[in-house]
Amino acid sequence: MAGEKPRGPRGEGRNSAARGRRVAEQARGPRRPRPEAPRDEAADIGVEARLAAGVLLNAALEGRGGLDAALSFREVAGLPAPDRAFARAVAMAALRRLGEIDQILDRRLQKAPPATVRTILRVALAQTLVLETPAFAAVSTAVKLAERDPKTRPYKNLVNAVLRGVGRDGPGLTTAESNLPDWIAARWRATWGEAALAGLALAAREEPPTDLSVKPGVDPAAVADAVDGEVLPGGTVRTGRRGDIATWPGFEDGTWWVQDAAAAVPVRLLAPRAGETVADLCAAPGGKTLQLAAASASVVALDRSDKRLNRLRQNLERTGLAAEIVVTPAEEWEDPRTFDAVLLDAPCTATGTFRRNPEVLRATRPADVAKLADVQHRLLDAAAERVRPGGRLVYCVCSLEREEGETQIIAFLRRNPAFRTAPADPAALGAPDEARTPEGWLRILPSMWAEKGGLDGFFVARLDRVG
């Protein structure tokens, strides 16, 4: 849920607020300026919102999709909208800086407290060190949280002492890499190298901007001006604007949809033309389908989840675009049609989306990589059967794991001699120049375009059917 940048209660002492900002800057390091929320909209967010933040944080740490599912929990759903937005912002901040927060706590805790107490401390430090909530507000509500539960009440003095100690002395040195699970850090170091790992760790700490794909015929510069943004290579509009996107200029008119800059690259590589037939396999939530439909192609959007396709249906109606929607697994689709172009955005570990979905790094397990690689293998073969002679196939995943990207295409080309790689030109696609691989594929890392605010991680390859 989007919202204006959350702030703590008003009326705190000026010295406490200034100290909280200094501590946050030490822990966070330099960051890009972003628009402040209007001060008259600052809310006095209380104990219940902090409790909800802890519920969301723990849900995210317990399994994939946990945070989104937890938004419907009683402790969260019953809150006023500003409190829900604040709770989600705190939980996301804690997830992005979890390793650093725990480094700070471990230096001040002689022995590990109960998990519920650590949650209270994590939530409080996420506020002061990341969101710049005044220290007094974060400490006060953390102590109240500890007091309200008989199991945590004996630790209220510990909570108070730890948080005041951090506010007084500063957080000390922390490492961005600590925010990554050990097995993922080791894997990325081995795959991409030490320098890339450092960049990925820094990218994982920051809240990303919002990217918009603009309908053909609409001036991206005009959209950028309306939302206080900028136009990126490829035509994506990027903005640091916060709040409910349904209230942004152009939303009701259907002139744009939300889509990360990297997620827009695969359709550009597929290069759909007016009148062509295109199949978008595994289409939900549908941003790429909208791109295909906007190119005046005849689009079939396929996905196994009817629920996940609802967002696509809503966006098609809002934008005035059209696509045939089919609810079925791609590998089980009983339809004789073949297509001029096929897009396969395959299910994956989604480790490349950690900027927007920090919980994915905690939810993913090593076994998931091999399990999903097998699914991708089968989907690629099913997709190939849908490409007519002379047609083209684009395969992509928002994963940083080679087994889900490069390895899949190497194996596919060995068992499908009728296909050849069509080299990608990053400059023509709105992708970073350094994303091009020696084979002509694209390997986009979230640390690329750091000066522009980064982008999601993707592997993208185009395969032309020559036989």
Side-chain angles (χ1 to χ4, degrees):
M1 178 178 297
E4 294 290 344
K5 181 179 177 182
R7 296 181 181 272
R10 284 182 276 188
E12 316 300 353
R14 180 176 297 177
N15 291 338
S16 295
R19 182 172 63 249
R21 287 192 293 272
R22 289 197 301 272
V23 171
E25 197 61 36
Q26 293 174 31
R28 183 176 60 248
R31 71 172 185 171
R32 299 177 301 280
R34 62 177 61 153
E36 289 190 1
R39 291 190 177 274
D40 60 356
E41 293 183 11
D44 186 357
I45 305 295
V47 175
E48 297 300 328
R50 269 76 172 190
L51 173 65
V55 170
L56 292 172
L57 172 60
N58 289 333
L61 295 175
E62 289 167 3
R64 182 182 298 275
L67 188 148
D68 286 340
L71 291 172
S72 63
F73 289 1
R74 172 179 50 82
E75 298 92 335
V76 184
L79 294 174
D83 292 39
R84 289 199 306 272
F86 178 82
R88 189 177 188 279
V90 171
M92 295 288 275
L95 284 168
R96 290 190 174 99
R97 304 295 184 93
L98 192 66
E100 292 178 272
I101 288 172
D102 282 348
Q103 283 183 329
I104 294 166
L105 291 176
D106 290 344
R107 285 196 289 262
R108 293 186 171 271
L109 296 169
Q110 294 182 355
K111 62 179 182 178
T116 49
V117 174
R118 182 172 284 270
T119 296
I120 292 172
L121 291 168
R122 285 170 165 173
V123 165
L125 289 182
Q127 296 168 64
T128 58
L129 301 183
V130 185
L131 298 181
E132 301 183 13
T133 300
F136 173 83
V139 175
S140 175
T141 51
V143 172
K144 290 177 181 177
L145 268 178
E147 285 179 335
R148 65 186 292 167
D149 187 338
K151 294 181 181 179
T152 57
R153 192 171 300 141
Y155 296 91
K156 69 176 185 178
N157 291 335
L158 173 68
V159 168
N160 184 66
V162 168
L163 296 178
R164 291 192 180 277
V166 174
R168 179 185 65 248
D169 303 331
L173 294 177
T174 61
T175 59
E177 188 180 315
S178 68
N179 298 314
L180 306 177
D182 290 343
W183 75 273
I184 284 183
R187 166 182 275 269
W188 289 353
R189 179 184 290 108
T191 303
W192 309 118
E194 195 68 45
L197 174 64
L200 291 170
L202 289 174
R205 302 169 87 230
E206 300 299 328
E207 181 181 5
T210 300
D211 292 345
L212 309 177
S213 287
V214 179
K215 284 177 66 175
V218 177
D219 182 8
V223 174
D225 184 63
V227 298
D228 304 315
E230 62 175 325
V231 182
L232 298 178
T236 291
V237 172
R238 171 161 290 181
T239 177
R241 188 178 184 130
R242 307 296 171 189
D244 182 0
I245 64 168
T247 65
W248 292 7
F251 178 85
E252 290 188 0
D253 296 334
T255 58
W256 50 259
W257 56 91
V258 175
Q259 185 178 32
D260 188 86
V265 169
V267 170
R268 295 179 190 145
L269 182 57
L270 189 64
R273 295 182 288 271
E276 285 191 317
T277 57
V278 184
D280 183 4
L281 308 181
C282 309
K288 298 177 183 66
T289 302
L290 295 172
Q291 282 182 277
L292 295 168
S296 298
S298 177
V299 185
V300 177
L302 193 85
D303 200 276
R304 66 171 58 237
S305 172
D306 188 48
K307 181 178 180 180
R308 294 187 70 234
L309 284 167
N310 280 336
R311 186 188 302 178
L312 172 58
R313 295 185 179 98
Q314 293 165 4
N315 276 324
L316 286 171
E317 181 177 0
R318 181 176 64 85
T319 59
L321 298 171
E324 176 187 346
I325 294 178
V326 179
V327 182
T328 191
E331 65 272 35
E332 299 176 9
W333 188 24
E334 296 181 356
D335 189 301
R337 285 179 288 179
T338 57
F339 298 84
D340 297 311
V342 174
L343 175 67
L344 174 59
D345 183 1
C348 66
T349 55
T351 50
T353 68
F354 62 69
R355 294 159 61 252
R356 304 185 189 283
N357 305 297
E359 67 271 22
V360 73
L361 299 182
R362 304 287 170 177
T364 302
R365 299 291 180 263
D368 295 338
V369 178
K371 180 180 178 181
L372 285 162
D374 182 62
V375 173
Q376 293 148 10
H377 173 118
R378 290 185 280 109
L379 285 171
L380 258 171
D381 286 346
E385 294 178 359
R386 297 289 173 179
V387 181
R388 64 183 46 159
R392 56 207 184 275
L393 164 66
V394 164
Y395 170 80
C396 64
V397 285
C398 55
S399 166
L400 300 187
E401 318 315 314
R402 284 186 60 89
E403 297 93 324
E404 300 183 81
E406 291 86 345
T407 302
Q408 286 291 345
I409 297 304
I410 291 170
F412 173 83
L413 290 172
R414 286 175 179 167
R415 56 180 195 272
N416 290 277
F419 285 84
R420 298 285 186 273
T421 294
D425 177 5
L429 301 171
D433 290 338
E434 61 269 37
R436 191 181 190 277
T437 73
E439 300 85 356
W441 310 324
L442 293 176
R443 168 52 75 179
I444 302 172
L445 299 180
S447 51
M448 295 174 180
W449 278 359
E451 72 284 357
K452 295 182 176 71
L455 66 178
D456 283 353
F458 262 86
F459 173 83
V460 190
R462 174 169 153 174
L463 306 162
D464 289 353
R465 182 169 180 177
V466 295

